[in-house]
Amino acid sequence: MKSHLTRSQNTVLKLLKKLNREISAQELYLELRKAQLTLGLATVYRALDTLKLSGIVQARLLSNGETLYTAAQQDRHHVTCLQCGVSIPIQEEECPVHELEDQLKQSSKFEIFYHTLEFFGLCTPCQLEQSHSKP
Ligand SMILES: [Zn+2]
Ligand SMILES: [Zn+2]
């Protein structure tokens, strides 16, 4: 892991770790202001991008085009509703794709920082809504 972070990258990372949840750049910018750490929005975006490319920060693109960031290093698994966009983390005893990740490290020669796994479908309220609206 790269240790020579700039001050703004460090500030962003520290707050991400403290918040310990997924957050958009816009929201993070507001949280920074609340904490009296005034960084420009462009600086926040730049810092997040650099941290992402170093594998320190994880980015997840939602279906509405918004990107959420976390400092967490662990792998993420989600189930996401196609209709309302609700996205719920899945807690698993053991990750089913770790073996694949190890194989990929060998075969692709990539330095793999993390992976995500996302399942798509309809949540219960949206299923009910659909079955009610059927002719
Ligand atoms: Zn839904
Ligand atoms: Zn996994």
Side-chain angles (χ1 to χ4, degrees), residues 58-115:
Q58 256 176 259
R60 188 163 72 97
L61 183 65
L62 299 182
S63 53
N64 64 8
E66 193 175 38
T67 304
L68 296 181
Y69 299 90
T70 39
Q73 282 294 298
Q74 80 254 36
D75 303 327
R76 298 255 156 180
H77 308 103
H78 286 89
V79 57
T80 298
C81 178
L82 290 167
Q83 187 158 296
C84 68
V86 70
S87 190
I88 301 160
I90 313 163
Q91 303 300 341
E92 284 158 39
E93 291 289 298
E94 203 166 305
C95 175
V97 297
H98 268 167
E99 212 171 301
L100 177 65
E101 191 173 306
D102 289 339
Q103 285 172 20
L104 271 173
K105 277 181 190 167
Q106 297 288 322
S107 63
S108 71
K109 304 276 183 251
F110 262 59
E111 185 187 355
I112 296 173
F113 297 129
Y114 60 85
H115 68 258

